[in-house]
Amino acid sequence: MIHHVSDDPINEEMNLSIRTTEFKIFINGLLDAGYQFIKPSQLEDSFDRKACMITFDDIFKDAMTNAITYLESINIPYMCFVSPVFIGKEGYIDERELKNLRDSSLCTIGGHGISHKLFRFLTSQEKIEELCRERHEQLLGCEIEDFAFPYGSIYACDSKSIKMAQREYKRVYSTLNCKVTSRDKIWFLPRINLNSKTVY
Ligand SMILES: [Zn+2]
């Protein structure tokens, strides 16, 4: 799970930032170690194998410029979890960049909440609206099969929200910080937070 990628450290106190050089070293390290980079559709066949899926949350402009263009240049697939509310806001990708992601055969776009709210305290109706797959598809302009909860912790996601997401999407992702094994169900998948501290 990646948020910011920049040589000017951003959001370091939240541990949501990795330097561009560190990101490239990390990717090449995985390649050298023989990891296969997979798309979400390959996930279930890749449990307990030497496989890795790169996911970006929120899609900050720096991640687009410094990491996603790099993955494109070396032909590595990746996943982007997008909240429609952020598109075009300062520091985030705009409509044109979203279209580039849609057009890329390497990119899979997933939902991340219509307006990136913390689910636990939402009413049932608000949960339905925030999760809505059809609305995500309308606003993001493509078919969506994957959903990552904003904030993504056990605290942020009550079991009712998780069950609702499971009904709406093929695969649901958390921010539980560990690797995926065959013991995991595909409806609250863990993701390792990659930042300048964890990269080493
Ligand atoms: Zn987010």
Side-chain angles (χ1 to χ4, degrees):
M1 176 180 70
I2 300 159
H3 285 81
H4 287 286
V5 184
S6 172
D7 279 330
D8 311 313
I10 300 163
N11 220 329
E12 269 202 330
E13 74 284 3
M14 295 283 289
N15 294 330
L16 294 178
S17 185
I18 184 168
R19 289 179 184 80
T20 311
T21 40
E22 292 167 338
F23 173 78
K24 290 180 181 174
I25 290 168
F26 173 75
I27 294 293
N28 283 290
L30 288 176
L31 282 171
D32 290 345
Y35 277 82
Q36 186 201 353
F37 289 87
I38 58 165
K39 294 184 175 196
S41 56
Q42 298 168 279
L43 197 60
E44 277 179 276
D45 301 324
S46 305
F47 285 146
D48 301 320
R49 279 185 22 210
K50 225 174 168 178
C52 174
M53 198 166 102
I54 305 288
T55 72
F56 294 92
D57 281 17
D58 309 334
I59 322 305
F60 295 100
K61 249 194 173 42
D62 55 74
M64 185 80 189
T65 311
N66 300 324
I68 291 174
T69 48
Y70 179 68
L71 294 180
E72 287 281 341
S73 74
I74 55 172
N75 212 31
I76 285 181
Y78 57 93
M79 168 112 219
C80 288
F81 290 111
V82 187
S83 276
V85 72
F86 290 147
I87 300 297
K89 294 261 163 68
E90 199 188 339
Y92 296 89
I93 56 163
D94 57 27
E95 283 290 349
R96 186 184 50 84
E97 289 162 313
L98 176 63
K99 185 182 181 305
N100 289 343
L101 292 177
R102 258 195 320 261
D103 291 347
S104 165
S105 58
L106 295 170
C107 178
T108 307
I109 294 178
H112 194 42
I114 298 297
S115 46
H116 204 270
K117 290 190 176 134
L118 197 150
F119 269 74
R120 177 172 293 273
F121 303 111
L122 301 180
T123 64
S124 293
Q125 186 53 37
E126 286 170 329
K127 283 174 183 164
I128 291 169
E129 287 165 17
E130 276 298 302
L131 271 172
C132 184
R133 175 170 164 164
E134 218 179 289
R135 188 80 185 121
H136 273 91
E137 290 180 337
Q138 278 168 5
L139 293 167
L140 299 174
C142 56
E143 207 181 303
I144 308 263
E145 297 184 327
D146 300 76
F147 182 85
F149 276 103
Y151 312 103
S153 63
I154 291 286
Y155 170 76
C157 312
D158 55 303
S159 58
K160 187 178 175 189
S161 297
I162 297 171
K163 281 190 192 117
M164 288 167 74
Q166 180 192 8
R167 282 198 294 270
E168 196 88 348
Y169 295 92
K170 262 194 186 159
R171 292 162 292 264
V172 178
Y173 303 70
S174 70
T175 59
L176 299 182
N177 199 8
C178 58
K179 69 174 201 169
V180 179
T181 71
S182 56
R183 293 185 300 279
D184 291 301
K185 302 277 189 288
I186 55 166
W187 50 267
F188 205 57
L189 289 159
R191 294 185 294 157
I192 295 168
N193 182 19
L194 184 67
N195 60 44
S196 287
K197 289 174 187 142
T198 58
V199 70
Y200 300 105

